[in-house]
Amino acid sequence: MSVDSKTVKKIANLARIAMTDAEVEAMVPEFNGILGWVEQLGEVDVTGVEPMTAVIPNTLRLRDDVVTDGDIRDKVLANAPAAEHGFFGVPKVIE
Amino acid sequence: MTDITDLGVADIRNGVRAGTFSAREVATAFNEQVAGAKALNAFLIDTPEHALAAADAIDAKRAAGEELPIMAGVPIGMKDLFCTVGVEARAASEILNGFKPTYESTVSQKLWDAGAGMLGKLNMDQFAMGSSNETSAFGNVISPWRRNDGGNAPLAPGGSSGGSSAAIAARLCPAATGTDTGGSIRQPAAFTGISGIKPTYGRCSRWGVIAFASSLDQAGPMARDVRDCAIMLEAMSGFDPKDSTSLDLPVPQWEAGLSSDLKGKRVGIPREYRMDGMNAEIAAIWDQGAEWLRDAGAEIVEVSLPHTRYALPAYYIIAPAEASSNLARYDGVRYGQRNLPDGAGLQDMYAATRAAGFGPEVKRRIMIGTYVLSAGFYDAYYTQAQKVRALIARDFAQVWEHCDVLLAPTAPSAAFGLGENSDDPIAMYLNDVFAVPASLAGLPAMSVPGGLDSMGLPLGLQIIGKPLDEQGVLNAGLAIEERAGFTARPERWW
């Protein structure tokens, strides 16, 4: 399967990475090179094989449904580029 | 007296316990080494005060007659992937510019509890994506090693834990943390003539370690010999309720369990690892390694891991897929860098922030990961890769019926020159061809130095073990170490 610049643009948009047209063009052959290489997996017979979900058998633990942390608002906000009034600041998203 | 900075973890701890020198003397000596080695670009941030404070705490304990913990007085380097309170953690990226964690990773806390101190944060491939340390936003780490051809071509220290490997080989620290997603402890260890072990997936908590591919990421120690790795792995391991994939098992006493007597053990040589066009010196050191293990009492058996050749392509679907999901968190809202073009809305801010903050290799992997997880392609790529991964794990499970550990090369070549492999992503990915299968199966694996090639550069041997059998891996590593007698070290030029 080979991708074109339109597909790369779409993927860049899904990944939320701004790309110039020149960057998109440069990525098309790289993308196709990598995809062409990984597509050899298609030749493996996987009949009856379940996709792996855990490398080491392990059971997901349950814990008591109680609050175990909190009251750390200032710590949570300490690294925010634009914290305001105890919240994360973002550009306006509603008109 | 020998120079303190020539000592490893065990010797420093034992010396501090015995009072041969103080922990402060040790920290001071290594702080000076770090400060004098800027040409290697191994450390991103120096934290001499952290190392001294930890040392003073150990000296005070000793003065008070208290028992000293297993890494008492040992100053270490910390890969920039680990969060430590108040010290910038950037995964060698721009997007985490200014990020100072308000919390401590479980692994680093365990190391401090074991008496270690921090010399500084170590350079690495950006978000641990790379095999040469050339994707760091802070420039290449230069390996302390040079070829013996008289040229001074700067060499790659391996990656992604390239700051760790360079710093240990140059005696800037006796040991350092590494992380291994697809070879990032083992390949740099091989390139720089040191040892490093990736434990079984789940031994070391991933909490507070900046995520790359969560089903593969494992922390582990890097040091100059097997005993030092065993000590440090003991300090780093253990159950952590904050990591849902942490193994709730006691930590074995790996140091006490070290034994290079391999009588009754069987060592498998996977025939599929002997690839067409294999470097003759790599093949020779591999044969030599088998001979050393035979000399240690082991029986050598040839075994088969039929899906080996599919491991790397499966990895380059699975790891980018997980990375694209994990790295979605870098949005310019909660931490790190924000780029807000004039008049930009929220979506434009995300895209501008991520365009400016991620390096080219990180973007490439996020894009590939986004593609293989996108509607219409998920089954063809991601599900197929996870099925192949199950077959690779099954290959290993079947091989354990015939042997106790596997011996293989760590990397397909000795260290290459910086820039020599950077034009073609796939050529770079092939560096991890021997390392990735054990990662996909979550198995413990380590690299130990085997010898030097004709250019005077170190070559590593890899031992892969059964799940939870770090002891078997360490013991086979020790048997090789005792017989290889690897004492070569880079001549100081920095």
Side-chain angles (χ1 to χ4, degrees), chain A residues 1-5 7-20 23-24 26-61 63 68-69 72 74-84 87-95, chain B residues 98-102 200-201 215 239-248 307 309-310 312-314 316-317 332-338 340 344-347 349-352 354-355 358 360 363-364 366-368 370-372 374-375 377 380-381 383-391 393-394 425-426 429-430 439-443 467-468:
Chain A
M1 223 171 307
S2 102
V3 301
D4 54 15
S5 55
T7 310
V8 171
K9 267 188 194 162
K10 181 181 155 222
I11 297 299
N13 180 50
L14 286 174
R16 299 291 186 272
I17 297 174
M19 290 181 102
T20 64
E23 285 170 326
V24 169
M27 191 160 270
V28 170
E30 279 184 10
F31 225 82
N32 282 321
I34 294 170
L35 290 176
W37 174 66
V38 299
E39 275 167 12
Q40 60 181 291
L41 291 185
E43 70 197 48
V44 183
D45 180 2
V46 292
T47 314
V49 178
E50 286 295 310
M52 176 178 275
T53 51
V55 282
I56 301 294
N58 200 354
T59 46
L60 280 179
R61 299 176 297 277
R63 65 168 175 83
T68 55
D69 65 3
I72 52 166
D74 292 347
K75 278 188 168 186
V76 170
L77 291 173
N79 281 291
E84 286 174 53
F87 294 95
F88 293 113
V90 294
K92 197 161 79 172
V93 286
I94 42 171
E95 296 301 324
Chain B
F99 174 60
K100 286 189 179 171
T102 55
T200 308
Y201 181 81
S215 79
F239 176 60
D240 179 11
K242 287 187 285 200
D243 171 0
S244 65
T245 58
S246 175
L247 293 169
D248 191 0
H307 294 91
R309 60 181 294 232
Y310 299 109
L312 208 53
Y316 275 97
I317 290 174
V333 173
R334 289 160 294 166
Y335 29 65
Q337 177 177 312
R338 163 181 293 193
L340 186 59
L346 187 62
Q347 299 295 336
M349 183 192 83
Y350 292 153
R354 292 161 64 80
F358 291 134
K363 287 182 192 170
R364 188 179 291 132
I366 291 174
M367 294 278 290
I368 291 285
T370 305
Y371 181 77
V372 299
S374 64
F377 300 107
Y381 290 105
T383 307
Q384 179 74 7
Q386 288 289 50
K387 287 180 179 174
V388 173
R389 185 179 185 182
L391 289 172
R394 186 195 291 174
I426 295 172
Y429 299 166
L430 286 170
S439 296
L440 289 172
L443 300 172
L468 306 176

Side-chain angles (χ1 to χ4, degrees), chain B residues 149-393:
Chain B
D149 58 2
N152 291 330
L155 301 178
S160 67
S161 310
S164 307
S165 66
I168 295 164
R171 273 67 177 168
L172 312 187
C173 53
T177 53
T179 60
D180 193 314
T181 303
S184 283
I185 287 175
R186 291 162 283 159
Q187 183 256 19
F191 274 21
T192 56
I194 65 164
S195 299
I197 180 166
K198 176 195 94 71
T200 308
Y201 181 81
R203 278 282 192 205
C204 290
S205 170
R206 291 181 294 107
W207 197 82
V209 185
I210 297 170
F212 162 16
S214 303
S215 79
L216 296 155
D217 296 345
Q218 258 302 283
M222 301 170 74
R224 285 208 303 277
D225 65 27
V226 172
R227 175 171 300 272
D228 288 359
C229 284
I231 294 169
M232 189 162 161
L233 184 59
E234 257 180 72
M236 293 168 71
S237 298
F239 176 60
D240 179 11
K242 287 187 285 200
D243 171 0
S244 65
T245 58
S246 175
L247 293 169
D248 191 0
L249 295 170
V251 178
Q253 295 191 314
W254 288 304
E255 184 193 10
L258 285 175
S259 163
S260 58
D261 180 357
L262 302 185
K263 270 193 212 68
K265 298 287 179 191
R266 283 175 300 175
V267 176
I269 307 290
R271 76 170 70 98
E272 290 81 5
Y273 282 49
R274 203 170 290 274
M275 295 174 173
D276 289 343
M278 185 177 213
N279 176 315
E281 292 188 277
I282 298 288
I285 197 78
W286 188 13
D287 293 342
Q288 176 65 68
E291 210 37 61
W292 284 327
L293 293 176
R294 195 194 315 271
D295 182 63
E299 181 192 345
I300 309 296
V301 294
E302 191 181 87
V303 296
S304 174
L305 295 165
H307 294 91
T308 296
R309 60 181 294 232
Y310 299 109
L312 208 53
Y315 176 86
Y316 275 97
I317 290 174
I318 293 162
E322 293 187 23
S324 76
S325 169
N326 270 326
L327 274 63
R329 74 189 69 184
Y330 303 104
D331 55 7
V333 173
R334 289 160 294 166
Y335 29 65
Q337 177 177 312
R338 163 181 293 193
N339 289 60
L340 186 59
D342 277 346
L346 187 62
Q347 299 295 336
D348 298 328
M349 183 192 83
Y350 292 153
T353 297
R354 292 161 64 80
F358 291 134
E361 181 62 24
V362 176
K363 287 182 192 170
R364 188 179 291 132
R365 296 201 197 187
I366 291 174
M367 294 278 290
I368 291 285
T370 305
Y371 181 77
V372 299
L373 292 178
S374 64
F377 300 107
Y378 185 97
D379 281 339
Y381 290 105
Y382 185 72
T383 307
Q384 179 74 7
Q386 288 289 50
K387 287 180 179 174
V388 173
R389 185 179 185 182
L391 289 172
I392 289 162

Side-chain angles (χ1 to χ4, degrees), chain B residues 398-447:
Chain B
Q398 288 171 348
V399 106
W400 301 133
E401 294 166 17
H402 307 287
C403 62
D404 300 287
V405 292
L406 294 162
L407 177 72
T410 307
S413 72
F416 46 84
L418 291 166
E420 280 176 14
N421 259 343
S422 47
D423 292 345
D424 178 2
I426 295 172
M428 186 65 87
Y429 299 166
L430 286 170
N431 259 288
D432 293 319
V433 66
F434 299 126
V436 153
S439 296
L440 289 172
L443 300 172
M446 101 174 287
S447 181

